[in-house]
Amino acid sequence: MNLVFLSDEDFNTVETLFTEFHAGYAVFFQNRTKSVAKSAKDYLHGQLFTQQQMNLTQYCREVPESEYEAMQHFISDSPWDDTALIKQVQNDVCHLLGDPNDGALILDESGIVKQGNMSVGVSRQYCGRLGKVENCQVGVYLAYANSHHTSLIDYRLYLPQAWIDDPQRRARCDVPETSTFRTKAQVGLEMIRAFTASGLPYRWVSMDAHYGEQPWLLNQLSHEGICYMADIPADTRIFLHCPQTEVPQRKGGRGRLPEKEKLVWAEPPPIEVRAFAQTLSASDWTRLEIRETERGWLIADFAAYRVWHAVENLPFAEVWLVLRRPVGGNGVIRYAFSNAPSDTPLHRLAAMQCRRYWVERALEDAKGEAALDHYQVRGWRGWHHHMTLTLLAMLFLLQLTLRFREKAPLLTLQDSREILETFLPRKSYSPKEFIQLLQQKHQDRLSARRSHAKKQKQRLKEIPI
């Protein structure tokens, strides 16, 4: 059975498609006196082309007519502004995936392990990829997804408080002087607001439990008319009915008048959502098929109830509590809050709750197919430039995948990246050019050795004999 109907002509267009794609964004890589569009194309080519030791040295080894110094300047020092380019990427992603009824913004973070303390934002902090505290940089990312595809559309670098309090460290990495400490949730809300202000279509926002456990964020989204589906921890508390509250009267004639609101006497206290789940019987769950995956259909049992979110033992907001458990009743139950309308059907809530998978897929693809977590930059500008080029690379992979899927319905982003690796031009060498490449590689190696030796001597000085 033939599943691929791509022709020689299709593969012969790959280089032209890449050139045309880059040309559409070249204007964003120039200022009044200089254009770095050529270096942008080379860097993007390297991200899409190289899968082993993904760094500038390897890019120069593979990408025709590329220059190490030019690409290094482009990514680390060149003053091109990524803000307008990100807006254009968002427009183009929505042109491909935009859906006013089913489009979702998905918020997540990702840690990139780093050695030392010189790279911007690096600190010992929780790294979700490893599931533990590690020395890493943390980026907060926003993806756009419909029911079939996804792409990253925005990002922010999380700066720990220690960085904000260290002006010398910030100056060394060119962190803007106006930078202030913002939590990951505040950073995420900033991106959601910016996208909403653009007027591009979407229906709701999805996020994991780190964001879902912060009532102020959920309240702010509701206040701004934004529908959310937020995972929550199993120990989150709820009221099954809205309880009566009061400010108690002062007992006796002495002391300050009570000001804090409390539950009326005899009202039941809130319960944890995992305790509520234990009260459900088999008939309270509904088995639903959500979407087709590479391993068959995603099938799970769902339940949804209108409850009151409890904060500090008081009713905070009426929401949907959405519960999802694996088929068979065994395994971890997932919980989520949503401010979707009260008449939202269960299958709709279930589909919304499962949509968060796509940001994990988007981040995994960006790391595996576009070198999101491989870069040779330390400063603020370089980190942001690299992430912007990663968004651009993922957009091109998405465009190519959708274009070729007409003739290869099972085509994936990884397949498209392999097509690019095969059919984009590869650099050929004269002996002189290869010697120059080897010289750069050895210079990098020597620099790394000297850096490690310097750190080792410093550590030895701190260790008493």
Side-chain angles (χ1 to χ4, degrees):
M1 181 179 178
N2 191 2
L3 298 175
V4 179
F5 297 92
L6 294 169
S7 65
D8 293 353
E9 183 179 353
D10 292 317
F11 294 126
N12 290 336
T13 64
V14 167
E15 183 178 357
T16 300
L17 292 174
F18 176 68
T19 299
E20 291 175 348
F21 176 83
H22 166 263
Y25 296 92
V27 66
F28 297 102
F29 302 109
Q30 63 185 30
N31 53 39
R32 293 180 180 178
T33 60
K34 185 177 180 181
S35 172
V36 289
K38 167 65 168 57
S39 295
K41 184 179 181 182
D42 291 342
Y43 196 90
L44 188 63
H45 190 157
Q47 286 182 285
L48 294 169
F49 193 60
T50 309
Q51 291 301 295
Q52 299 297 325
Q53 299 179 348
M54 293 177 284
N55 53 47
L56 290 181
T57 301
Q58 188 67 16
Y59 292 175
C60 288
R61 186 171 184 171
E62 302 286 358
V63 178
E65 300 180 5
S66 58
E67 298 179 5
Y68 183 92
E69 291 80 6
M71 273 200 286
Q72 181 67 60
H73 172 76
F74 160 76
I75 204 67
S76 296
D77 302 314
S78 181
W80 59 273
D81 183 15
D82 50 21
T83 304
L85 178 53
I86 291 172
K87 291 181 179 179
Q88 188 60 50
V89 168
Q90 292 177 355
N91 274 275
D92 293 342
V93 168
C94 285
H95 178 74
L96 294 173
L97 307 182
D99 189 331
N101 297 314
D102 202 40
L105 300 180
I106 317 176
L107 190 62
D108 204 357
E109 63 188 69
S110 183
I112 300 173
V113 176
K114 288 290 178 182
Q115 300 296 322
N117 62 359
M118 300 296 288
S119 297
V120 62
V122 71
S123 177
R124 286 195 59 79
Q125 52 192 323
Y126 181 77
C127 179
R129 188 176 186 181
L130 301 179
K132 63 179 182 179
V133 173
E134 188 55 85
N135 205 56
C136 63
Q137 292 170 308
V138 173
V140 183
Y141 298 89
L142 192 66
Y144 190 99
N146 60 22
S147 56
H148 301 290
H149 303 286
T150 185
S151 196
L152 297 176
I153 60 169
D154 207 352
Y155 61 84
R156 297 288 190 278
L157 176 64
Y158 171 69
L159 283 179
Q161 184 70 58
W163 272 82
I164 300 299
D165 296 339
D166 190 339
Q168 292 183 341
R169 205 178 185 191
R170 287 191 287 114
R172 187 170 61 240
C173 290
D174 294 322
V175 176
E177 295 182 359
T178 56
S179 297
T180 58
F181 177 73
R182 291 172 298 164
T183 66
K184 296 166 190 172
Q186 289 172 327
V187 167
L189 179 60
E190 177 183 290
M191 289 191 291
I192 293 168
R193 283 173 167 168
F195 187 89
T196 302
S198 72
L200 294 170
Y202 76 98
R203 177 58 70 178
W204 78 89
V205 173
S206 179
M207 61 196 78
D208 69 12
H210 171 75
Y211 305 94
E213 67 181 348
Q214 302 189 50
W216 74 266
L217 176 60
L218 305 185
N219 182 64
Q220 191 63 40
L221 291 172
S222 291
H223 177 72
E224 297 180 18
I226 298 172
C227 181
Y228 63 78
M229 176 65 70
D231 288 358
I232 56 173
D235 60 356
T236 304
R237 294 178 177 271
I238 59 170
F239 293 101
L240 301 183
H241 304 284
C242 185
Q244 289 185 319
T245 62
E246 64 177 2
V247 177
Q249 294 184 353
R250 183 174 59 185
K251 296 180 180 180
R254 307 177 68 178
R256 297 180 59 183
L257 288 172
E259 297 179 354
K260 189 175 181 179
E261 190 176 13
K262 295 183 179 181
L263 293 178
V264 170
W265 183 82
E267 283 283 6
I271 62 173
E272 293 183 349
V273 292
R274 59 187 167 194
F276 173 70
Q278 296 301 315
T279 69
L280 301 182
S281 64
S283 61
D284 294 320
W285 296 90
T286 301
R287 187 157 298 172
L288 296 173
E289 295 182 349
I290 300 301
R291 66 171 182 272
E292 191 173 8
T293 72
E294 294 179 1
R295 299 182 180 180
W297 280 88
L298 172 61
I299 303 174
D301 296 332
F302 292 88
Y305 293 88
R306 298 292 289 180
V307 300
W308 281 81
H309 181 188
V311 176
E312 297 182 352
N313 288 328
L314 291 173
F316 180 72
E318 187 179 18
V319 293
W320 280 107
L321 171 64
V322 182
L323 304 91
R324 170 187 169 188
R325 72 176 187 184
V327 171
N330 298 320
V332 176
I333 297 177
R334 296 181 180 274
Y335 307 91
F337 280 154
S338 177
N339 63 343
S342 59
D343 59 351
T344 305
L346 178 62
H347 67 83
R348 174 67 166 173
L349 294 171
M352 292 170 64
Q353 196 278 332
C354 292
R355 187 64 62 86
R356 206 183 71 77
Y357 153 84
W358 288 107
V359 72
E360 297 172 357
R361 180 62 180 270
L363 287 168
E364 181 181 339
D365 286 339
K367 292 173 181 178
E369 314 305 334
L372 179 143
D373 55 346
H374 288 77
Y375 44 83
Q376 291 178 298
V377 296
R378 286 183 173 179
W380 175 271
R381 177 176 288 172
W383 190 91
H384 285 75
H385 282 179
H386 173 79
M387 292 301 162
T388 301
L389 267 291
T390 300
L391 265 57
L392 201 59
M394 295 307 296
L395 174 57
F396 181 61
L397 281 174
L398 177 63
Q399 286 188 3
L400 192 67
T401 301
L402 294 178
R403 180 187 182 95
F404 283 172
R405 266 194 177 175
E406 296 178 2
K407 297 183 178 181
L410 299 181
L411 196 73
T412 65
L413 289 182
Q414 182 180 4
D415 295 332
S416 294
R417 205 274 309 155
E418 290 174 356
I419 290 172
L420 293 172
E421 185 178 14
T422 303
F423 293 99
L424 282 181
R426 184 182 297 270
K427 195 170 189 176
S428 59
Y429 290 93
S430 67
K432 181 179 179 180
E433 289 172 333
F434 188 80
I435 289 173
Q436 291 175 343
L437 176 68
L438 202 59
Q439 173 72 14
Q440 181 63 57
K441 185 176 181 180
H442 287 190
Q443 285 179 347
D444 292 344
R445 186 180 301 164
L446 181 60
S447 177
R449 285 182 181 179
R450 288 173 174 171
S451 177
H452 289 311
K454 183 178 179 181
K455 291 177 182 177
Q456 184 182 44
K457 288 181 180 180
Q458 183 63 35
R459 288 195 298 268
L460 289 174
K461 289 180 180 179
E462 298 172 355
I463 300 175
I465 299 177

